[in-house]
Amino acid sequence: MAITQLSAFLENTPGTLSQAVTAISDAGINIRALSVADTRDFGILRVIVSDVEKTKEVLSQYTLASETKVIAVKMSDEAGSLKKILNILENARINVEYVYAFTSAIAGSAYVVLRINDLDVAESVLMGHGIEMLSDEDMKDMLG
Amino acid sequence: MKNYYQKEIETASREEILKIQNEKIVKQVRHVYDNVPYYRDLMDKKGVKPEDIKSVDDIKKLPFLTKDDLREAYPYGLLGTDLKNCVRIQSTSGTTGKRVVAFYTQKDIDLWEECCARAIVAAGGTDEDVCQVCYGYGLFTGGPGLNGGSHKVGCLTLPMSSGNTDRQIQFMMDLNATILCCTPSYAAFIGESLAEQGYKPEDNKLKAGIFGAEPWTEEMRRSIENSLGIKAYDIYGLTETSGPGVSFECEEQTGMHINEDHFYAEIINPETGEVLPEGEKGELVFTSLDKEAFPLLRYRTKDICILSRKPCSCGRTHVKMTKPLGRSDDMMIIRGVNVFPSQIETVLLNEGYTPNYQIVVDRENNTDTFDVYVEFSPEQFSDKIADVQAREKALNAAMRSMLGIGPKIHLMAPKSIQRSEGKAVRVIDKRKLHD
Ligand SMILES: [Zn+2]
């Protein structure tokens, strides 16, 4: 129950991020979640979009783009819910590469994206603890 | 009052120099033909016999030697005497693949050191001077050459070798160094470091600097002269021909006198090999006249120069060469290390990258910057920053082991490296090395 994230390589020159985002929107694709990690020399844009194939095509025209499976979890209202998930993973000795959050105005909730190398193990561990994860289908249904 | 290390030969008339050269070249060619089968084959192939060479005018009949020949003949193929007669090896700073080793008998070393001594005296050196040598010591010829020359002049020699700038400055100030020998960029760095430590140019006892082993401009010369309060002299040489001291500047600072009693210089058209008349720009070619262990006939330096026989106010009569004005191949000298774009391409292909790359060299604060931009492929891209950084680091290490210096690696998206008229621009050298 993982969802598909697209990553794109951004050279550290002014305007590369807006160029990438503009190209995606111009193609009529919705960006549901977005995160940028950068160093002094380059950045990596990570997006969850309504149309993976089309986005990949758009991005590949001028930069490197790759697909990665990530886990998306809905945050409950109670305090410390992210901490709880991270604790579960830590106790199972599962390493989290990076995390970012997004909200959905339509669904009125917050979600967290977790990038984990050992996806299958993580999924079964989280499921074992009754944590619900989104699928690509859920993303479509929920966010339109 | 003018000083010379060997006045008689340094100020000899043109006729006297020619007479010496003509006598020496006959012997040198015979020595090479009899002792170096590699070059004998080249002569035989060209149909030239030692007896065809009666004077320096006949040198143009001889075949050229190139760096490729030196690599092909590595290590002993161009040796002109038994190894038991050799006392020293020096080597170029290049990589394993490009390394050149040169051999010396004691006589070769003495003559080489005399050439360096001439350079030191031309820069005003006497036995009253304290000569600080901060060229590298070891396989590199800079340290050993100037060290030997300094001894011959009778200077008090400070064999500092390169690096450890604080210690260089401490010795320079405490022991009253008067002559500094190093690369021009290191001289500039010492100048800056002195200023940072609060010293003014007049606080040191230096009067002259002998700087070589890398290209530098007149502008850089003036800035070094001002920051150290000295007169800065250029020196030229190659490991292949012995080391520094093949030619050196006098007080006129308008070119370097070639030690013509030991080296015969020609300027050729690098395309055709045709010998060009004095005053024309072309590739510098050297023929050693009296070397025992590593005699080289018509060695192509790849340095582009102009020769001039205009009389010099210093009284020296030996021909002068300009600083190298460029290269006839694509070699770059970065931080004193010879770098060929082809080596970078080899590393990229070995490491699984495309040969789409660009080398950018610049000079900041008198130090060369060295950046290599490389396009990588979707398979090599990862969504994790650490993976991309690890790739850059690994590529830097692979380059360092090939070149001896590691460039800053910048991974780039495909097709993002600029091309001019469809043709990739491989090298952008922003340094202003030639006036
Ligand atoms: Zn002169």
Side-chain angles (χ1 to χ4, degrees):
Chain A
M1 284 258 273
I3 60 169
T4 308
Q5 167 195 276
L6 270 179
S7 306
F9 180 74
L10 301 178
E11 275 154 27
N12 193 12
T13 46
T16 48
L17 176 61
S18 72
Q19 185 190 11
V21 172
T22 309
I24 297 170
S25 344
D26 285 355
I29 302 161
N30 287 330
I31 298 177
R32 280 145 185 179
L34 176 151
S35 132
V36 179
D38 62 355
T39 70
R40 221 156 42 106
D41 303 307
F42 66 92
I44 295 175
L45 166 70
R46 297 150 184 159
V47 287
I48 292 166
V49 290
S50 56
D51 190 334
V52 170
E53 283 314 308
K54 205 163 161 191
T55 308
K56 211 171 159 185
E57 211 183 292
V58 168
L59 289 173
S60 298
Q61 277 166 21
Y62 64 97
T63 189
L64 295 165
S66 74
E67 267 180 54
T68 322
K69 290 284 176 195
V70 291
I71 289 175
V73 180
K74 184 179 175 182
M75 292 286 93
S76 61
D77 290 338
E78 53 190 286
S81 61
L82 174 60
K83 194 174 165 227
K84 183 179 148 201
I85 291 164
L86 293 177
N87 277 344
I88 294 168
L89 293 170
E90 194 189 335
N91 290 337
R93 301 194 182 284
I94 294 165
N95 194 32
V96 180
E97 298 284 341
Y98 56 81
V99 181
Y100 58 95
F102 67 95
T103 55
S104 159
I106 302 168
S109 327
Y111 298 85
V112 158
V113 175
L114 300 155
R115 167 72 163 95
I116 291 161
N117 280 338
D118 206 341
L119 212 56
D120 294 340
V121 178
E123 276 175 344
S124 64
V125 167
L126 289 173
M127 266 190 285
H129 283 79
I131 308 282
E132 258 184 69
M133 286 160 281
L134 301 181
S135 65
D136 278 329
E137 291 307 301
D138 292 333
M139 291 295 286
K140 265 192 189 130
D141 294 346
M142 274 200 319
L143 303 175
Chain B
M1 165 194 131
K2 294 194 191 306
N3 272 319
Y4 311 97
Y5 180 66
Q6 289 162 317
K7 179 164 195 268
E8 204 172 312
I9 184 66
E10 290 182 69
T11 62
S13 71
R14 183 86 200 101
E15 292 67 37
E16 288 170 314
I17 293 172
L18 264 176
K19 186 166 170 277
I20 291 167
Q21 288 184 322
N22 289 339
E23 277 166 19
K24 286 187 175 181
I25 189 63
V26 172
K27 283 190 202 150
Q28 182 85 122
V29 171
R30 171 55 71 184
H31 172 64
V32 169
Y33 194 83
D34 290 347
N35 294 289
V36 185
Y38 188 96
Y39 198 79
R40 184 192 312 145
D41 287 349
L42 293 179
M43 283 176 67
D44 288 346
K45 262 184 224 148
K46 220 177 167 221
V48 191
K49 295 281 158 219
E51 45 276 22
D52 296 335
I53 311 301
K54 301 189 183 71
S55 74
V56 288
D57 283 341
D58 297 322
I59 286 179
K60 58 179 179 290
K61 297 175 184 164
L62 291 167
F64 290 115
L65 265 181
T66 65
K67 197 152 193 159
D68 287 338
D69 290 310
L70 266 56
R71 279 198 285 271
E72 170 117 14
Y74 174 92
Y76 300 124
L78 290 165
L79 194 59
T81 186
D82 283 348
L83 270 183
K84 73 174 170 55
N85 300 324
C86 297
V87 297
R88 178 91 65 83
I89 282 174
Q90 305 280 174
S91 175
T92 59
S93 60
T95 64
T96 34
K98 303 262 181 192
R99 206 171 269 287
V100 166
V101 289
F103 299 83
Y104 303 74
T105 64
Q106 187 56 50
K107 185 187 157 223
D108 292 332
I109 296 224
D110 285 336
L111 295 184
W112 171 29
E113 291 178 352
E114 278 177 17
C115 289
C116 291
R118 290 179 191 176
I120 293 170
V121 172
T126 69
D127 56 6
E128 309 268 331
D129 280 295
V130 178
C131 183
Q132 178 163 357
V133 182
C134 26
Y135 283 113
Y137 279 64
L139 285 171
F140 177 51
T141 53
L146 270 307
N147 188 87
S150 175
H151 279 221
K152 287 238 186 297
V153 176
C155 301
L156 176 57
T157 311
L158 292 176
M160 302 297 297
S161 197
S162 50
N164 200 340
T165 307
D166 285 344
R167 193 180 60 190
Q168 301 277 6
I169 287 175
Q170 193 195 337
F171 273 71
M172 174 187 292
M173 302 307 288
D174 293 354
L175 298 168
N176 300 314
T178 54
I179 298 177
L180 181 67
C181 305
C182 58
T183 59
S185 55
Y186 195 56
F189 185 74
I190 290 178
E192 280 165 28
S193 306
L194 278 170
E196 272 167 28
Q197 296 185 15
Y199 290 111
K200 293 191 201 65
E202 59 271 24
D203 291 341
N204 70 65
K205 295 280 189 303
L206 292 174
K207 62 177 186 187
I210 301 171
F211 306 131
E214 67 182 7
W216 51 314
T217 58
E218 279 307 312
E219 192 187 345
M220 198 166 165
R221 187 207 300 265
R222 297 304 157 216
S223 124
I224 294 170
E225 289 186 332
N226 291 335
S227 72
L228 292 173
I230 60 168
K231 191 156 174 172
Y233 297 83
D234 205 353
I235 188 167
Y236 175 87
L238 314 152
T239 306
E240 295 89 318
T241 57
S242 62
V246 170
S247 64
F248 60 88
E249 258 182 354
C250 60
E251 72 252 21
E252 207 182 81
Q253 295 179 312
T254 55
M256 296 176 275
H257 291 284
I258 295 172
N259 286 308
E260 285 191 281
D261 50 331
H262 301 305
F263 302 101
Y264 182 81
E266 297 169 278
I267 293 288
I268 62 160
N269 175 331
E271 307 292 326
T272 63
E274 174 206 357
V275 179
L276 300 175
E278 181 204 329
E280 281 198 32
K281 190 160 115 179
E283 185 180 333
L284 183 62
V285 175
F286 278 118
T287 295
S288 64
L289 293 174
D290 47 15
K291 280 176 75 182
E292 294 180 334
F294 206 62
L296 294 185
L297 304 181
R298 298 200 94 194
Y299 180 65
R300 295 184 58 161
T301 65
K302 303 281 179 189
D303 282 326
I304 302 291
C305 293
I306 302 170
L307 296 183
S308 164
R309 293 202 173 277
K310 277 200 209 102
C312 188
S313 61
C314 77
R316 286 178 185 78
T317 48
H318 294 220
V319 69
K320 285 203 284 195
M321 59 178 271
T322 58
K323 275 174 194 298
L325 305 168
R327 295 278 303 173
S328 66
D329 58 14
D330 54 3
M331 188 185 88
M332 298 165 282
I333 302 178
I334 305 173
R335 285 177 230 146
V337 176
N338 300 347
V339 175
F340 292 88
S342 58
Q343 297 172 293
I344 293 188
E345 196 159 324
T346 303
V347 174
L348 291 177
L349 294 173
N350 286 347
E351 300 292 313
Y353 290 89
T354 65
N356 296 326
Y357 66 96
Q358 189 168 65
I359 302 162
V360 178
V361 189
D362 204 345
R363 191 167 273 176
E364 278 170 26
N365 302 322
N366 293 309
T367 303
D368 292 333
T369 61
F370 179 22
D371 293 80
V372 175
Y373 295 82
V374 185
E375 290 180 1
F376 66 141
S377 63
E379 303 74 55
Q380 291 166 325
F381 174 58
S382 154
D383 63 311
K384 287 185 255 167
I385 292 271
D387 289 352
V388 177
Q389 286 174 329
R391 279 196 168 274
E392 291 182 338
K393 213 173 154 192
L395 204 45
N396 169 285
M399 297 259 182
R400 182 180 294 280
S401 91
M402 168 70 114
L403 305 169
I405 54 169
K408 170 120 184 64
I409 302 290
H410 306 263
L411 290 174
M412 308 283 284
K415 295 187 221 80
S416 62
I417 290 176
Q418 62 180 102
R419 286 156 172 80
S420 112
E421 290 159 7
K423 201 172 167 289
V425 183
R426 291 283 175 241
V427 178
I428 299 179
D429 196 335
K430 298 178 180 168
R431 298 175 295 182
K432 197 178 153 282
L433 298 181
H434 310 295
D435 293 305

